[in-house]
C-alpha cells in the first residue's frame, strides 16, 4: 500500500514514511493511493472481536507491513475505562462515546496509538533519529498528544495552544502535564494563528542528523487511520443493537474535518452508512462550503462554547476534496493567496452527495444540553450538543449514530450554564483525570506572540 500527497507534487511513500513525515514535502496530506476494502462479511467477523482487535484489523488493511498491530492496539486501549468506543443510548438516540480515554476527548482514540505506530515506523524505515513532535491544538489534541508521548523513549513533544481559545480545564490539563520529554507554550492568538505558526516551522525543514521533526496533528496519517476503526466498530455494534434498522446516518461535531473524514473512509471501505452529517458551530466555513461550493475563511473567528471546533482553516478537508477529484493544489493556493476558493460543479455535487451540513449557535447548544438532560438524564458536552441540536427530532435522522467527542466535565462553564448553575459533577461522575488537573502543580507558563513560535521552537530543539 502506497500513500500519495493530496497536492500530487510529491512521490508516493510507504505508510511508515507517511506516518513519520506528517506532512508531504509539497505541503499536502498523505492519502492512500487506493482505498482498501473490508471483507464482505466484516460484520460477522468483527462481532466476536474486542475493540483492540477490531482496530488492529482495520489498521492492518492500511498498514500491511506493520507487524504486531494486535499487541500495539491492546497496549494503546488499555488506558481507557472499559470499552474505548461504546455505542450508548440517550433516550432514543444512539451515541458513539469516544471520550473514555485518559484525557476525556476523542483525540485519545488515535493519540494513544500514534506513538506505537511511530515506533514501528522507525523500525520499518531504519530511522534512528529521535522524533520531535510539534503540535498546535484547539484544546484537546495537545493534552492527548502529551499523554500519548509522555516519557516515550526517543520522542519529545512541544504543544502550542491559543491562550484565550481553550476552556479553563483544557488549559490546566496541559500546563500540569507530567513527563520529562514534554513542553507546552501558549500563543497570544487563536487556533488558526497557532496552526499557521507551526506550519511555518515545518516549512523551514529544521530536521537534522539528530532529530526528525514530525506532527501529531490530524494532518498525520497515523491520526486518521485509528479513527476509521471506531466507525467500523460502531456499525457492527449498531447492527447488533438494531438488527432491522436501516443504515444509520453519522452525525459528527466537526472542526478540522479529521473525525468526519474517517467516517467517509469507513464508508468507502464498505461500511453501509447513510448520510454523513457535518455539524459546525458559529465558525461555519464547512457548512458554507458544503452548501454553496465556496470555501471562504475571510471572516472573524468567534469564540464559542465548543472551542475545539473554533477553526476557519479546516486542514483535513483537502483529503475529502482529493477523494472527490478536486484540483487540491489549486484550491489551497487560492486559499492562501485570496483566503477563499470556489469548487467546480462536479466536486460540489460530490460533496453534497456524501455530506449534509448545518451549524448551531451556543444558545441552541445549551438549550439542547438542558433538554436532553431533563428528558433522558444523559449529559452532553457542548461539542456533541452542536451535533444533537441539529438532528434531534428530525425524522430524516431518526436512525443516526451521533458522535460524542468529549466528556461534559471538560467544559463546566458552558455545561453549568446550560444546567442553570448546577455543575457537571453535581449531576454525573466526572473522571478523576479532570478533577486532578485543578490541583496538580503548574509546570508551564510561557506565552509567545504568533510570530514568536519559530524562536520558541529553535530554543526548544537546542
Ligand atoms: C477535535 C475535536 C472536535 C473536532 O474534530 P475534528 O476532527 O477536528 O473535526 C470536536 N469535538 C471535540 C471535543 C474535539 O476535541
Amino acid at each position: 500500500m502506497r500513500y500519495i500527497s493530496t497536492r500530487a507534487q510529491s512521490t508516493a511513500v510507504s505508510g511508515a514514511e507517511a506516518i513519520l513525515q506528517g506532512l508531504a514535502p509539497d505541503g499536502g496530506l498523505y492519502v492512500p493511493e487506493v482505498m482498501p476494502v473490508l471483507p464482505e462479511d466484516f460484520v460477522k467477523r468483527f462481532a466476536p472481536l474486542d475493540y483492540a482487535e477490531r482496530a488492529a484489523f482495520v489498521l492492518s488493511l492500511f498498514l500491511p507491513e506493520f507487524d504486531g498491530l494486535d499487541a500495539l492496539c491492546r497496549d494503546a486501549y488499555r488506558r481507557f475505562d472499559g470499552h474505548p468506543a461504546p455505542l450508548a443510548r440517550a433516550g432514543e438516540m444512539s451515541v458513539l462515546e469516544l471520550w473514555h480515554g485518559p484525557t476525556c476527548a476523542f483525540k485519545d482514540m488515535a493519540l494513544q496509538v500514534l506513538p506505537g505506530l511511530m515506533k514501528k515506523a522507525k523500525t520499518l524505515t531504519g530511522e534512528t533519529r529521535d522524533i520531535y513532535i510539534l503540535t498546535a491544538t484547539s484544546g484537546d489534541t495537545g493534552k492527548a498528544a502529551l499523554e500519548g508521548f509522555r516519557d516515550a523513549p526517543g520522542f519529545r513533544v512541544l504543544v502550542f495552544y491559543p491562550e484565550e481559545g481553550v476552556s479553563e480545564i483544557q488549559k490546566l490539563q496541559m500546563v500540569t502535564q507530567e513527563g520529562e520529554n514534554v513542553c507546552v507554550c501558549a500563543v497570544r492568538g487563536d487556533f488558526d494563528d497557532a496552526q499557521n505558526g507551526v506550519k511555518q516551522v515545518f516549512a523551514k525543514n529544521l530536521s537534522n542528523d539528530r532529530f526528525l521533526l514530525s506532527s501529531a496533528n490530524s494532518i498525520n496519517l497515523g491520526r486518521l487511520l485509528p479513527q476509521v476503526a471506531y466507525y467500523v466498530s460502531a456499525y457492527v455494534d449498531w447492527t447488533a443493537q438494531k438488527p432491522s434498522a436501516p443504515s444509520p446516518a453519522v452525525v459528527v461535531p466537526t472542526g478540522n474535518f479529521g473525525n468526519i473524514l474517517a467516517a467517509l473512509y469507513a464508508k468507502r471501505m464498505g461500511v453501509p452508512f447513510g448520510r454523513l452529517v457535518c455539524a459546525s458551530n458559529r465558525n461555519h466555513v464547512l457548512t458554507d462550503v458544503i452548501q454553496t461550493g465556496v470555501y471562504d475563511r475571510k471572516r472573524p473567528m468567534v469564540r464559542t462554547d465548543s472551542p475545539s471546533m473554533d477553526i476557519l482553516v479546516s486542514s483535513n478537508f483537502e483529503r475529502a476534496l482529493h477523494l472527490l477529484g478536486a484540483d487540491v493544489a489549486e484550491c489551497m493556493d487560492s486559499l492562501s493567496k485570496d483566503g477563499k476558493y470556489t469548487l467546480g460543479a462536479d466536486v460540489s455535487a460530490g460533496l453534497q452527495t456524501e455530506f449534509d451540513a448545518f451549524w448551531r449557535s451556543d444558545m441552541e447548544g445549551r438549550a439542547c444540553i438542558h433538554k436532553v438532560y431533563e428528558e433522558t438524564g444523559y449529559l452532553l458536552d457542548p461539542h456533541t450538543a452542536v451535533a444533537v441540536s441539529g438532528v434531534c427530532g428530525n425524522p430524516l435522522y431518526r436512525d443516526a449514530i451521533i458522535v460524542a467527542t468529549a466528556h461534559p466535565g471538560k467544559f463546566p462553564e458552558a455545561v453549568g450554564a446550560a444546567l442553570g448553575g448546577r455543575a457537571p459533577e453535581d449531576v454525573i461522575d466526572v473522571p478523576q483525570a479532570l478533577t486532578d488537573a485543578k490541583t496538580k502543580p503548574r509546570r508551564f507558563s510561557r506565552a509567545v506572540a504568533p510570530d514568536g513560535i519559530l524562536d520558541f521552537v529553535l530554543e526548544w530543539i537546542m
Side-chain angles (χ1 to χ4, degrees), residues 105-107 140 253-259 308-309 311 381 383 405-406:
F106 91 90
K107 306 297 196 289
D140 292 324
T254 303
N256 237 339
F257 214 78
N259 200 349
S308 301
M309 294 154 66
I311 293 174
D381 96 283
H383 301 75
T405 49

Side-chain angles (χ1 to χ4, degrees), residues 99 104-108 137-141 170 191 218 223 227 230 252-262 278-279 286 306-311 314-316 381-384 403-407 410-411:
W99 43 255
C104 310
F106 91 90
K107 306 297 196 289
D108 289 325
T137 183
S138 61
D140 292 324
T141 292
Q170 286 179 315
F191 170 68
S218 58
R223 282 279 304 278
Q227 294 178 182
Y230 53 72
V252 190
T254 303
N256 237 339
F257 214 78
N259 200 349
I260 194 167
L261 181 82
C278 175
L286 292 167
S306 42
S308 301
M309 294 154 66
D310 289 345
I311 293 174
S314 193
S315 323
N316 270 289
D381 96 283
H383 301 75
T384 312
V403 177
T405 49
H407 190 283
K410 255 188 134 156
F411 305 94

Side-chain angles (χ1 to χ4, degrees), residues 83-272:
H83 191 316
L87 194 58
R89 307 283 311 164
E92 291 293 295
M93 291 186 293
S94 292
V95 181
L96 177 60
E97 293 180 343
L98 300 178
W99 43 255
H100 289 273
T103 78
C104 310
F106 91 90
K107 306 297 196 289
D108 289 325
M109 295 300 298
L111 279 163
Q112 284 293 316
V113 183
L114 186 63
L117 290 179
M118 281 193 168
K119 251 178 251 166
K120 187 70 68 182
K122 277 178 84 170
T123 315
L124 288 168
T125 57
E127 178 61 66
T128 52
R129 292 174 288 180
D130 282 353
I131 311 286
Y132 287 11
I133 305 283
L134 188 57
T135 288
T137 183
S138 61
D140 292 324
T141 292
K143 178 62 183 180
L146 292 161
E147 248 339 287
F149 284 100
R150 95 187 228 197
D151 292 328
F155 292 93
R156 287 177 72 197
V157 203
L158 170 56
V159 169
F160 289 100
Y161 71 93
E163 193 165 41
E164 299 301 327
V166 300
S167 87
E168 186 60 21
I169 297 229
Q170 286 179 315
K171 179 176 170 174
L172 287 174
Q173 279 187 300
M174 287 187 275
V175 300
T176 59
Q177 176 67 41
E178 292 163 3
E180 289 307 310
N181 62 342
V182 300
C183 183
V184 176
C185 179
V187 176
R188 296 189 205 100
D190 58 30
F191 170 68
D192 285 336
D193 293 323
Q195 174 161 262
N196 200 29
V198 164
K199 278 186 186 159
Q200 283 173 10
V201 174
F202 279 112
K204 298 265 178 214
N205 292 318
L206 296 175
S207 300
N208 61 22
D209 52 8
R210 200 159 49 85
F211 65 86
L212 175 71
L213 206 57
S214 189
S215 167
N217 278 111
S218 58
I219 53 166
N220 192 311
L221 183 72
R223 282 279 304 278
L224 176 60
L225 302 183
Q227 294 178 182
V228 178
Y230 53 72
Y231 285 108
V232 182
S233 174
Y235 181 76
V236 174
D237 292 342
W238 167 271
T239 53
Q241 288 177 15
K242 301 187 156 198
S244 55
S247 278
V250 181
V251 191
V252 190
T254 303
N256 237 339
F257 214 78
N259 200 349
I260 194 167
L261 181 82
L264 179 62
Y265 273 41
K267 196 172 172 184
R268 290 288 168 104
M269 292 169 75
V271 179

